[in-house]
Amino acid sequence: MSRMKRVYSWLDHRLQLGKPLLEMAEHPIPNRTASWWYVFGSAAFTLLMLQIVTGILLALVYVPSAGEAWNSLNFLNHQLTLGWFLRAMHGWGSNFMVAVVLIHMAQVFLFGAYKYPRELTWTLGVFLLLMTLGMAFTGQVMRFDQDAYWGLGIGASILSRVPVVGGSLVHMMLGGPIIAGATLSRFFTLHVFVIPGLMLAFTFLHVWMVLKLGINEWPMPGRVVRRSTYMAEYHELTEKDGRSFVPGGVWKDAVFSAAIIAAVAVCAVVFGPFGPGGQPDPTIIQTVPKPDFFFLWLYAVLSYLPPNLETPFLLIAPVLGIAALLGLPFYASEGEKSWHRRPIAILALTTIAVSWGVLTHLGTYTPWSPHMDAWSGGPAIPARFLRTASPVEREGAVVFQAKQCRNCHSIGGYGGQRGPALDDVATRLTGDQLIRQVLQGGGNMPAYGKNLSPAEVTALVSFLQTLHPANEPSAADAAQSVTGH
Amino acid sequence: MNEAGHEHSSENHSVVGSEQDRLTISRRWLLLKMGIALNAVVGVAITIPVVKYLFAAVKPDEEYKSWVSLGPVANFPVGETRLAKFTNPVRRSWDGETDGVACWVRRVAEREFQVFAINCAHLGCPVRWFPQSQLFMCPCHGGVYYADGSRASGPPERGLFPYEVRVVGDSVQIKAGEMPTLSNSASLVQLGGVKTDASKGDSPCRG
Ligand code: FES
């Protein structure tokens, strides 16, 4: 025993770390913050460590070369003992990390933790969030499959919209004129050296400030933050109603971190690694690129914005959003912390969470994308639509199928969702309106005027006119019924 | 450091030394400033080549582009639109399959061609050609284009990106080398505009 002590004191005499560490461990925290609500920050830190370790282990095998990356990933998945497991841990760890960082942020926002004197802690946290998302995006590039390739194309296309310097930015991003070897090399550098290095530095400062300034106290309605009195009040609180950080608060952090790592491992074992998908050959165009989970919301936004709003949105919204996050603690550094007294904050958080959820949900089934194979690959038009059809109407059904109408319009429950389902289109549009819509398009529909012969149009429209439930009449033109036409 | 030095020397020289100390200290500060200045000079001298290295990929579009053959004219029947593939003229040996590029070749008449980038004018996804309905469709956000490349519907603001085309002897050639985006192709004529007028079918912007 005394031998251990001697080793310890030999080390500490030289390292000089014992005293400051002990101080940190024993610093008092308010009793009520030793709560399960306060575990997300430490969980994010644990996940960062997990990502670093699994990342280093993957880098032992991964080849960051456009020609070989995809092969080395498949080697990891299928040939190397437990390579799949490490890829899965890293992939799921990334998903968990983005989620935990977002939850952590929502929680500190809700608890008013960004107020005086913790403004800078929040600011660094915002940068840490951006870097976490940056790691998620560059990580998707490391997977170097079709989705990664076209994801880079989308990134480059967004950058190209920047006025004046757009072209140069694209060259910078891609490392050349096209997405190729140079692109993967620079994303590898970002993913492995630049962003993680910055993240570690920022994380150190972030945690340092939490320990030095003390954890945010549990917000109470009426306990208002004032610059002049806050520090004294906080110290009084930790003295009167506090406990030592170790072990009083930290045991919950430890339990939750272990649970999170276990959850990552379970997901890794049960669901396996992500991809890689198809090989990154840009001449294979039979592909439907899709971003990773945390960028699905953006995918939805980009589909729904009107074309003329898109460039301003893409270039201005991120700047405004980040500025708002960074500016928040300076705009509202004093005042109420309790959510009972901050209706606008609650409203803002709910709005963001709900829109994110809805957009992500839409992103998972992409109603805006045509189903490229619906016209050729799916089930035929159900017989019930054709049982009583005349030869012309049947011919129209053939036109409907052959001209890819079904890529955007579903019928009998199968087809794209870009346009409305046509099962009962005849109850909405009259024959004349159908002809007009087919010939001239409109809404989100291209004009088929040049692409169909008059006979095909006649057949198609007569087929469409049969599409109404038996007990519901088809749409009628009021003017025609008056003239008795 | 300043204070420590002061204390130390005042022990040795007691009263007399204080004037001398101030001189010593200001000399030390001067030396430090010189050190910083030296670092600044060296820093700038090194930064210039580093920045040049970092920005080496940023070049005028023309430097990346050159004429590439898409194969003999006979590969492309009149009135049809076919997928053509070529190797990007700017490439590195470790690019793997990513140095391949695809494009859509439309032979309008005997010696008249239109060649479109595979990349959607919206955000660059690969568009697919459907000869039956004479439309290009984009799998990403549902952009649609007519046979002549003009915009039909969906999020794209403009028509497909056209390449400059020429026919030399027997081969169809295009000016290629760069991923087409709005920043390097937008200066070209707007194909068909955003009008939904079906009769618009003439092919502007011939290479
Ligand atoms: S990339 Fe083609 S519609 Fe968005």
Side-chain angles (χ1 to χ4, degrees):
Chain A
M1 213 53 226
S2 72
R3 179 47 118 356
M4 287 264 284
K5 244 186 191 157
R6 254 188 299 142
V7 172
Y8 172 81
S9 66
W10 187 92
L11 280 172
D12 194 51
H13 188 61
R14 285 151 185 84
L15 281 170
Q16 299 284 329
L17 276 173
K19 214 174 125 214
L21 286 182
L22 197 68
E23 250 168 46
M24 256 171 207
E26 284 180 341
H27 85 273
I29 58 165
N31 269 333
R32 284 208 65 184
T33 65
S35 139
W36 288 107
W37 276 106
Y38 285 73
V39 296
F40 298 108
S42 59
F45 180 80
T46 312
L47 284 166
L48 176 63
M49 294 303 127
L50 174 76
Q51 291 305 88
I52 289 177
V53 172
T54 51
I56 290 173
L57 291 170
L58 288 176
L60 293 175
V61 177
Y62 180 70
V63 183
S65 148
E68 299 298 336
W70 192 77
N71 293 333
S72 68
L73 292 173
N74 279 308
F75 178 80
L76 271 162
N77 270 5
H78 302 299
Q79 258 130 305
L80 193 72
T81 309
L82 287 173
W84 66 270
F85 179 65
L86 274 150
R87 283 204 65 234
M89 281 290 277
H90 198 65
W92 281 101
S94 139
N95 273 357
F96 270 80
M97 183 157 166
V98 178
V100 167
V101 166
L102 285 175
I103 295 172
H104 176 50
M105 192 168 191
Q107 183 261 325
V108 294
F109 174 75
L110 215 55
F111 282 52
Y114 54 84
K115 289 178 190 290
Y116 176 85
R118 302 184 181 84
E119 300 97 327
L120 196 58
T121 321
W122 167 271
T123 308
L124 289 188
V126 172
F127 284 113
L128 282 167
L129 169 76
L130 294 178
M131 287 190 269
T132 307
L133 293 177
M135 286 304 277
F137 183 77
T138 53
Q140 184 189 333
V141 175
M142 292 307 99
R143 209 167 57 223
F144 220 59
D145 54 8
Q146 271 179 339
D147 282 359
Y149 181 91
W150 295 107
L152 281 168
I154 291 178
S157 300
I158 292 178
L159 271 188
S160 79
R161 293 173 177 230
V162 177
V164 190
V165 293
S168 310
L169 289 178
V170 172
H171 288 164
M172 271 304 272
M173 173 187 161
L174 301 183
I178 56 166
I179 302 162
T183 318
L184 181 58
S185 297
R186 53 187 55 198
F187 274 84
F188 181 76
T189 310
L190 285 175
H191 188 76
V192 172
F193 298 109
V194 182
I195 307 179
L198 285 172
M199 263 181 123
L200 281 177
F202 276 59
T203 304
F204 172 77
L205 287 174
H206 189 79
V207 174
W208 171 262
M209 281 189 285
V210 173
L211 294 172
K212 282 289 160 184
L213 297 170
I215 192 86
N216 184 43
E217 78 281 5
W218 189 273
M220 293 292 211
R223 196 195 276 158
V224 180
V225 178
R226 276 185 215 88
R227 253 175 254 265
S228 46
T229 54
Y230 179 81
M231 290 311 255
E233 283 167 12
Y234 181 80
H235 283 126
E236 199 191 313
L237 179 72
T238 53
E239 257 159 53
K240 271 209 293 211
D241 186 19
R243 61 176 79 173
S244 140
F245 172 56
V246 179
V250 84
W251 73 267
K252 282 181 177 146
D253 291 296
V255 170
F256 189 71
S257 286
I260 278 277
I261 301 289
V264 172
V266 168
C267 283
V269 171
V270 175
F271 301 107
F274 294 92
Q279 63 203 85
D281 181 343
T283 63
I284 299 175
I285 60 164
Q286 266 64 30
T287 169
V288 181
K290 226 173 164 189
D292 278 2
F293 184 75
F294 284 105
F295 298 99
L296 280 176
W297 65 275
L298 186 62
Y299 187 36
V301 169
L302 292 175
S303 310
Y304 281 125
L305 276 180
N308 52 350
L309 281 184
E310 207 160 306
T311 301
F313 175 86
L314 282 173
L315 302 182
I316 297 171
V319 177
L320 288 184
I322 294 167
L325 285 176
L326 291 176
L328 172 73
F330 303 98
Y331 167 74
S333 72
E334 295 191 308
E336 285 277 357
K337 274 182 178 173
S338 168
W339 51 86
H340 295 291
R341 302 273 170 93
R342 288 164 60 224
I344 295 178
I346 303 294
L347 202 64
L349 192 65
T350 324
T351 314
I352 292 171
V354 170
S355 9
W356 180 82
V358 170
L359 289 170
T360 302
H361 174 65
L362 285 171
T364 53
Y365 72 103
T366 63
W368 51 81
S369 297
H371 287 198
M372 302 298 242
D373 303 322
W375 69 288
S376 55
I381 296 175
R384 69 188 141 98
F385 291 106
L386 299 168
R387 205 160 287 138
T388 59
S390 69
V392 179
E393 288 158 4
R394 286 180 184 210
E395 186 55 36
V398 172
V399 173
F400 181 82
Q401 191 78 22
K403 297 291 179 179
Q404 282 93 25
C405 302
R406 223 171 172 186
N407 287 13
C408 293
H409 295 283
S410 77
I411 190 164
Y414 183 79
Q417 289 166 296
R418 175 84 192 165
L422 297 184
D423 297 65
D424 53 359
V425 65
T427 63
R428 298 191 300 266
L429 298 177
T430 65
D432 290 343
Q433 289 170 322
L434 282 169
I435 293 176
R436 192 195 154 279
Q437 185 66 27
V438 168
L439 293 183
Q440 300 186 9
N444 254 326
M445 178 167 161
Y448 276 77
K450 277 187 307 170
N451 308 340
L452 296 176
S453 70
E456 285 171 327
V457 175
T458 312
L460 177 62
V461 169
S462 59
F463 166 64
L464 292 175
Q465 275 181 295
T466 66
L467 296 178
H468 58 88
N471 55 353
E472 226 179 301
S474 46
D477 187 336
Q480 280 180 357
S481 67
V482 168
T483 56
H485 187 66
Chain B
M1 187 170 69
N2 188 0
E3 216 167 313
H6 191 267
E7 261 172 47
H8 179 70
S9 51
S10 62
E11 266 170 36
N12 289 346
H13 304 285
S14 63
V15 198
V16 202
S18 67
E19 180 58 22
Q20 227 178 352
D21 286 348
R22 226 167 283 144
L23 282 174
T24 318
I25 288 159
S26 79
R27 194 179 66 219
R28 284 174 191 160
W29 276 110
L30 181 72
L31 287 169
L32 175 60
K33 277 177 198 161
M34 273 172 56
I36 292 173
L38 197 62
N39 272 284
V41 172
V42 174
V44 169
I46 290 175
T47 304
I48 293 168
V50 166
V51 167
K52 277 193 175 168
Y53 165 81
L54 209 54
F55 283 81
V58 179
K59 285 186 197 167
D61 296 333
E62 280 313 308
E63 271 187 47
Y64 280 128
K65 289 190 188 168
S66 49
W67 289 101
V68 184
S69 171
L70 297 178
V73 175
N75 283 0
F76 307 100
V78 178
E80 285 190 21
T81 301
R82 294 245 167 127
L83 190 71
K85 298 175 182 182
F86 61 94
T87 304
N88 201 61
V90 183
R91 59 182 299 276
R92 295 175 188 178
S93 57
W94 58 91
D95 282 343
E97 44 206 355
T98 57
D99 63 3
V101 186
C103 60
W104 290 109
V105 181
R106 178 190 188 215
R107 188 163 180 193
V108 188
E110 196 46 43
R111 289 189 76 76
E112 195 188 344
F113 286 87
Q114 275 187 302
V115 181
F116 303 114
I118 202 84
N119 305 93
C120 182
H122 179 225
L123 291 174
C125 288
V127 295
R128 259 185 260 177
W129 169 245
F130 291 91
Q132 299 81 0
S133 55
Q134 298 277 302
L135 294 172
F136 293 99
M137 291 188 196
C138 176
C140 282
H141 317 99
V144 183
Y145 306 85
Y146 294 119
D148 65 355
S150 58
R151 173 189 184 271
S153 65
E157 275 182 281
R158 48 157 291 154
L160 287 173
F161 300 123
Y163 287 103
E164 261 182 83
V165 201
R166 71 181 187 193
V167 179
V168 176
D170 189 30
S171 83
V172 187
Q173 301 188 347
I174 59 169
K175 194 105 183 254
E178 219 180 354
M179 175 187 161
T181 59
L182 284 171
S183 66
N184 56 35
S185 310
S187 53
L188 295 163
V189 184
Q190 183 106 351
L191 286 171
V194 286
K195 296 190 197 96
T196 47
D197 186 355
S199 64
K200 269 271 200 220
D202 48 322
S203 51
C205 185
R206 303 278 314 117

